[in-house]
């Protein structure tokens, strides 16, 4: 049974903390921020904490636009104020991406492209497992923003002390998101059937749950920035494309059954028959 106070407030990564956050938890170990990355289309973007009131305003507007779409996040309604956005999205660690323009040799920040947060997925005894929330503007989609954020997410999550990342609800209709997590080496552990009532889709939609073992992630692969591809060391779980199936489990089961049958047959051949009394 959930107790009172802080534990109750942390019951879910989807809850609003009630505290006006700034998204800078772990700033002392994230000294590489701001970080400049080159996107798939060749343009430059800056990854940094939410530093200005405009960052917060753009982030709140983007999240509400995505919630209004009703296709990607589990909420029915948008957030009513920037304060609610800060209490939710900026409760722990949050990074935003803005485009970088070079004008007369000087770099200037431009359009808000997207953002992500890192926060505990579960309370207290399980708080070493983090969750991530990602959002990309419509204008920036298809430019590699999500992949750049996903790569940086792994580094940030590892550096602030999390041991694993777990995404609860990646809806199967969001194929772009699924492709990013598979490419980055996340493992699909489960498929939750009929879990979401999405806007404009008849019936209910399944979701995939993705996992990443951060203890086996080498953050040094991002020494030259998050555009370097890094794959996770095998964890014992194998993503086969079907979240219900773990080939290693069934392969081991098959080997065990075969060994048992061979043992029975071999033993039967060696044991001499005895005559009935």
């Amino acid at each position: 049974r959930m107790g009172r106070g802080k534990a109750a407030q942390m019951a879910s990564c989807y809850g609003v903390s009630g505290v006006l956050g700034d998204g800078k938890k772990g700033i002392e170990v994230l000294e590489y921020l701001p970080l400049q990355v080159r996107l798939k289309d060749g343009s430059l973007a800056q990854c940094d904490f939410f530093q200005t009131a405009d960052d917060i305003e753009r982030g709140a507007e983007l999240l509400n636009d995505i919630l209004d779409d009703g296709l990607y996040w589990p909420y029915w309604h948008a957030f009513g104020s920037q304060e609610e956005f800060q209490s939710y999205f900026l409760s722990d660690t949050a990074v935003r991406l803005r485009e970088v323009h070079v004008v007369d040799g000087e770099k200037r920040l431009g359009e808000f492209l997207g953002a992500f947060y890192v926060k505990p997925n579960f309370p207290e005894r399980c708080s070493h497992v983090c969750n991530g929330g990602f959002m990309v503007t419509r204008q920036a989609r298809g430019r590699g923003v999500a992949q750049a954020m996903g790569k940086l997410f792994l580094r940030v999550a590892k550096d602030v002390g999390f041991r694993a990342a777990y995404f609860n609800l990646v809806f199967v209709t969001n194929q772009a998101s699924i492709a990013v997590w598979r490419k980055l080496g996340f493992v699909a552990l489960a498929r939750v059937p009929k879990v979401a009532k999405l806007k404009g889709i008849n019936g209910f939609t399944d979701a995939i749950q993705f996992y990443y073992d951060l203890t086996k992630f080498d953050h040094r692969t991002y020494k030259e920035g998050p555009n370097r591809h890094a794959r996770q060391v095998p964890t014992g779980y194998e993503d086969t494309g079907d979240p219900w199936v773990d080939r290693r489990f069934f392969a081991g089961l098959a080997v065990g059954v075969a060994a048992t049958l061979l043992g029975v047959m071999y033993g039967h051949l060696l044991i001499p028959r005895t005559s009935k009394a």
Side-chain angles (χ1 to χ4, degrees), residues 16 22 33 40 50-52 56 61 65 75 101 109 119 137 142 173 178 182 199 207 213 274:
V16 175
D22 62 5
L33 295 179
K40 186 171 61 176
F50 282 69
Q51 297 287 18
T52 66
I56 296 174
E61 289 176 353
D65 285 345
Y75 297 104
H101 300 292
L109 294 182
K119 65 171 72 177
T137 66
T173 48
I178 291 172
R182 291 193 185 281
K199 191 173 181 178
D213 185 352
T274 56

Side-chain angles (χ1 to χ4, degrees), residues 247-260:
R247 284 181 180 171
R248 293 186 181 186
F249 170 78
F250 287 105
L253 180 63
V255 170
V257 171
T260 301

Side-chain angles (χ1 to χ4, degrees), residues 33 38 45 48 50 74 94-95 129-130 141 143 157 175 177 180 190-192 201 213 223 236 238 243 253:
L33 295 179
R38 188 170 296 278
D48 199 2
F50 282 69
V95 175
V129 178
C130 72
R141 292 174 188 175
R143 298 174 56 188
Q175 288 298 310
S177 178
V180 169
R191 183 178 182 119
V192 185
I201 297 178
D213 185 352
K223 188 175 181 180
E238 184 174 351
L253 180 63

Side-chain angles (χ1 to χ4, degrees), residues 10-186:
M10 291 180 60
S12 167
C13 63
Y14 300 112
V16 175
S17 67
V19 178
L20 203 63
D22 62 5
K24 295 182 180 180
K25 187 173 183 178
I27 188 173
E28 65 280 356
V29 297
L30 302 177
E31 71 283 351
Y32 46 82
L33 295 179
L35 179 68
Q36 183 173 285
V37 299
R38 188 170 296 278
L39 302 177
K40 186 171 61 176
D41 63 359
S43 61
L44 296 175
Q46 185 203 69
C47 310
D48 199 2
F49 297 107
F50 282 69
Q51 297 287 18
T52 66
D54 187 66
D55 285 341
I56 296 174
E57 182 179 354
R58 296 289 175 265
E61 289 176 353
L62 174 56
L63 182 56
N64 278 345
D65 285 345
I66 291 173
L67 296 183
D68 285 339
D69 288 342
L71 295 172
Y72 309 105
W73 290 54
Y75 297 104
W76 282 111
H77 305 291
F79 287 96
S81 66
Q82 288 187 23
E83 289 74 19
E84 286 186 17
F85 169 78
Q86 286 184 254
S87 295
Y88 171 68
F89 206 93
L90 304 185
S91 63
D92 288 79
T93 307
V95 175
R96 61 95 178 111
L97 270 71
R98 297 195 83 128
E99 193 159 14
V100 175
H101 300 292
V102 180
V103 180
D104 296 329
E106 181 181 346
K107 294 179 179 178
R108 300 178 183 176
L109 294 182
E111 294 79 9
F112 191 100
L113 302 177
F116 68 88
Y117 67 67
V118 185
K119 65 171 72 177
N121 197 32
F122 310 108
E124 300 187 348
R125 296 186 189 275
C126 304
S127 60
H128 58 281
V129 178
C130 72
N131 181 262
F134 297 79
M135 54 184 186
V136 179
T137 66
R138 289 184 179 88
Q139 295 78 8
R141 292 174 188 175
R143 298 174 56 188
V145 173
Q147 183 171 327
M149 291 196 301
K151 290 178 178 180
L152 183 56
F153 165 84
L154 293 173
R155 180 179 181 181
V156 170
K158 172 91 173 192
D159 288 346
V160 298
F162 288 106
R163 296 178 59 83
Y166 193 83
F167 297 163
N168 304 299
L169 297 170
V170 181
F171 302 132
V172 295
T173 48
N174 192 355
Q175 288 298 310
S177 178
I178 291 172
V180 169
W181 308 133
R182 291 193 185 281
K183 186 171 184 179
L184 291 179
F186 281 76

